[in-house]
Amino acid sequence: MLLGFALLYVGAVLFLNGLWLLGKIEDREIVVINVVSGIVTFFASLAWAFGPNADAASIKGAALTILFSTTYFWVAYNRVVKVDGRGLGWFSLFVAITTIPVAVQGLSTAQTSTDFWLASNWVIWGVLWFLYFLLLALQRPILRLTAIVTLLAGIVTGWLPGFLLLDGKL
């Protein structure tokens, strides 16, 4: 259930960040959902890492999820202090590289459709973080592409599965 809770907010923040990148939401407004999503994913990670059922897999999941939290807090910070995001871009490269072994391991050991779905999400998230690296750190002119991929990733990897998990249908 905690995964559905976290994914619902991942979906919300990615969807809204996609709209923001398309110029549909102001810089100052996007701070709220990034902070809220950062808090939700961070506290879910704490429960996975330090809760009564914590084990090696849940601690690994928590560590990986805090990469999301950090990204959301960093987006909010950048909007408040009005910087260009190059630091976030380089962090995004670190995360994109980190997603490669996570996705490969997940795809190679997947035994259920849920395992395959989660590993596939890591592929999508890795591509998305790599786009942020290109956009922010290397200043490539891919804003619209990054916005659309962000928005779609929010729906496919967060919002829908998060809602379905919360509703007990996944």
PDB file of all heavy atoms in Angstrom, residues 48-61:
ATOM      1  N   TRP A  48      10.285   2.125   4.729  1.00  0.00           N
ATOM      2  CA  TRP A  48      10.852   0.929   4.102  1.00  0.00           C
ATOM      3  C   TRP A  48      12.222   0.592   4.673  1.00  0.00           C
ATOM      4  O   TRP A  48      12.555  -0.572   4.856  1.00  0.00           O
ATOM      5  CB  TRP A  48      10.984   1.109   2.590  1.00  0.00           C
ATOM      6  CG  TRP A  48       9.669   1.148   1.871  1.00  0.00           C
ATOM      7  CD1 TRP A  48       8.547   0.438   2.174  1.00  0.00           C
ATOM      8  CD2 TRP A  48       9.346   1.940   0.730  1.00  0.00           C
ATOM      9  NE1 TRP A  48       7.543   0.738   1.289  1.00  0.00           N
ATOM     10  CE2 TRP A  48       8.000   1.650   0.395  1.00  0.00           C
ATOM     11  CE3 TRP A  48      10.042   2.860  -0.039  1.00  0.00           C
ATOM     12  CZ2 TRP A  48       7.358   2.247  -0.689  1.00  0.00           C
ATOM     13  CZ3 TRP A  48       9.409   3.452  -1.114  1.00  0.00           C
ATOM     14  CH2 TRP A  48       8.088   3.149  -1.434  1.00  0.00           C
ATOM     15  N   ALA A  49      13.006   1.604   4.983  1.00  0.00           N
ATOM     16  CA  ALA A  49      14.375   1.369   5.461  1.00  0.00           C
ATOM     17  C   ALA A  49      14.435   1.009   6.944  1.00  0.00           C
ATOM     18  O   ALA A  49      15.280   0.214   7.348  1.00  0.00           O
ATOM     19  CB  ALA A  49      15.250   2.599   5.195  1.00  0.00           C
ATOM     20  N   PHE A  50      13.562   1.613   7.745  1.00  0.00           N
ATOM     21  CA  PHE A  50      13.678   1.458   9.194  1.00  0.00           C
ATOM     22  C   PHE A  50      12.450   0.852   9.861  1.00  0.00           C
ATOM     23  O   PHE A  50      12.418   0.725  11.087  1.00  0.00           O
ATOM     24  CB  PHE A  50      13.988   2.818   9.831  1.00  0.00           C
ATOM     25  CG  PHE A  50      15.243   3.438   9.299  1.00  0.00           C
ATOM     26  CD1 PHE A  50      15.186   4.562   8.474  1.00  0.00           C
ATOM     27  CD2 PHE A  50      16.487   2.898   9.586  1.00  0.00           C
ATOM     28  CE1 PHE A  50      16.343   5.136   7.968  1.00  0.00           C
ATOM     29  CE2 PHE A  50      17.655   3.468   9.081  1.00  0.00           C
ATOM     30  CZ  PHE A  50      17.579   4.584   8.270  1.00  0.00           C
ATOM     31  N   GLY A  51      11.448   0.505   9.078  1.00  0.00           N
ATOM     32  CA  GLY A  51      10.223  -0.068   9.633  1.00  0.00           C
ATOM     33  C   GLY A  51      10.446  -1.469  10.170  1.00  0.00           C
ATOM     34  O   GLY A  51      11.512  -2.071   9.984  1.00  0.00           O
ATOM     35  N   PRO A  52       9.440  -2.019  10.825  1.00  0.00           N
ATOM     36  CA  PRO A  52       9.579  -3.334  11.459  1.00  0.00           C
ATOM     37  C   PRO A  52       9.834  -4.477  10.469  1.00  0.00           C
ATOM     38  O   PRO A  52      10.380  -5.502  10.846  1.00  0.00           O
ATOM     39  CB  PRO A  52       8.241  -3.532  12.177  1.00  0.00           C
ATOM     40  CG  PRO A  52       7.297  -2.574  11.540  1.00  0.00           C
ATOM     41  CD  PRO A  52       8.121  -1.438  11.025  1.00  0.00           C
ATOM     42  N   ASN A  53       9.454  -4.303   9.213  1.00  0.00           N
ATOM     43  CA  ASN A  53       9.657  -5.354   8.210  1.00  0.00           C
ATOM     44  C   ASN A  53      10.841  -5.066   7.297  1.00  0.00           C
ATOM     45  O   ASN A  53      10.962  -5.678   6.232  1.00  0.00           O
ATOM     46  CB  ASN A  53       8.390  -5.537   7.376  1.00  0.00           C
ATOM     47  CG  ASN A  53       7.220  -5.982   8.214  1.00  0.00           C
ATOM     48  OD1 ASN A  53       7.383  -6.807   9.109  1.00  0.00           O
ATOM     49  ND2 ASN A  53       6.043  -5.439   7.952  1.00  0.00           N
ATOM     50  N   ALA A  54      11.705  -4.140   7.697  1.00  0.00           N
ATOM     51  CA  ALA A  54      12.844  -3.773   6.846  1.00  0.00           C
ATOM     52  C   ALA A  54      13.763  -4.967   6.629  1.00  0.00           C
ATOM     53  O   ALA A  54      14.048  -5.732   7.551  1.00  0.00           O
ATOM     54  CB  ALA A  54      13.615  -2.611   7.472  1.00  0.00           C
ATOM     55  N   ASP A  55      14.171  -5.117   5.385  1.00  0.00           N
ATOM     56  CA  ASP A  55      15.154  -6.134   5.025  1.00  0.00           C
ATOM     57  C   ASP A  55      16.043  -5.538   3.928  1.00  0.00           C
ATOM     58  O   ASP A  55      15.895  -4.359   3.579  1.00  0.00           O
ATOM     59  CB  ASP A  55      14.474  -7.428   4.567  1.00  0.00           C
ATOM     60  CG  ASP A  55      13.559  -7.252   3.364  1.00  0.00           C
ATOM     61  OD1 ASP A  55      13.615  -6.197   2.682  1.00  0.00           O
ATOM     62  OD2 ASP A  55      12.780  -8.172   3.073  1.00  0.00           O
ATOM     63  N   ALA A  56      16.942  -6.325   3.401  1.00  0.00           N
ATOM     64  CA  ALA A  56      17.883  -5.815   2.399  1.00  0.00           C
ATOM     65  C   ALA A  56      17.154  -5.235   1.188  1.00  0.00           C
ATOM     66  O   ALA A  56      17.525  -4.167   0.678  1.00  0.00           O
ATOM     67  CB  ALA A  56      18.847  -6.921   1.973  1.00  0.00           C
ATOM     68  N   ALA A  57      16.109  -5.904   0.725  1.00  0.00           N
ATOM     69  CA  ALA A  57      15.379  -5.426  -0.457  1.00  0.00           C
ATOM     70  C   ALA A  57      14.656  -4.111  -0.172  1.00  0.00           C
ATOM     71  O   ALA A  57      14.667  -3.200  -1.007  1.00  0.00           O
ATOM     72  CB  ALA A  57      14.384  -6.488  -0.925  1.00  0.00           C
ATOM     73  N   SER A  58      14.030  -3.996   0.992  1.00  0.00           N
ATOM     74  CA  SER A  58      13.304  -2.759   1.296  1.00  0.00           C
ATOM     75  C   SER A  58      14.262  -1.594   1.534  1.00  0.00           C
ATOM     76  O   SER A  58      13.950  -0.457   1.187  1.00  0.00           O
ATOM     77  CB  SER A  58      12.359  -2.948   2.486  1.00  0.00           C
ATOM     78  OG  SER A  58      13.066  -3.137   3.691  1.00  0.00           O
ATOM     79  N   ILE A  59      15.418  -1.881   2.094  1.00  0.00           N
ATOM     80  CA  ILE A  59      16.420  -0.825   2.295  1.00  0.00           C
ATOM     81  C   ILE A  59      16.961  -0.354   0.951  1.00  0.00           C
ATOM     82  O   ILE A  59      17.128   0.853   0.720  1.00  0.00           O
ATOM     83  CB  ILE A  59      17.539  -1.308   3.235  1.00  0.00           C
ATOM     84  CG1 ILE A  59      16.967  -1.506   4.642  1.00  0.00           C
ATOM     85  CG2 ILE A  59      18.714  -0.333   3.249  1.00  0.00           C
ATOM     86  CD1 ILE A  59      17.889  -2.233   5.604  1.00  0.00           C
ATOM     87  N   LYS A  60      17.202  -1.286   0.040  1.00  0.00           N
ATOM     88  CA  LYS A  60      17.632  -0.916  -1.316  1.00  0.00           C
ATOM     89  C   LYS A  60      16.551  -0.067  -1.986  1.00  0.00           C
ATOM     90  O   LYS A  60      16.857   0.966  -2.598  1.00  0.00           O
ATOM     91  CB  LYS A  60      17.916  -2.167  -2.144  1.00  0.00           C
ATOM     92  CG  LYS A  60      18.318  -1.860  -3.576  1.00  0.00           C
ATOM     93  CD  LYS A  60      18.562  -3.136  -4.365  1.00  0.00           C
ATOM     94  CE  LYS A  60      18.913  -2.836  -5.802  1.00  0.00           C
ATOM     95  NZ  LYS A  60      19.077  -4.067  -6.586  1.00  0.00           N
ATOM     96  N   GLY A  61      15.304  -0.486  -1.879  1.00  0.00           N
ATOM     97  CA  GLY A  61      14.202   0.278  -2.442  1.00  0.00           C
ATOM     98  C   GLY A  61      14.117   1.683  -1.866  1.00  0.00           C
ATOM     99  O   GLY A  61      13.870   2.651  -2.580  1.00  0.00           O
TER     100      GLY A  61
END
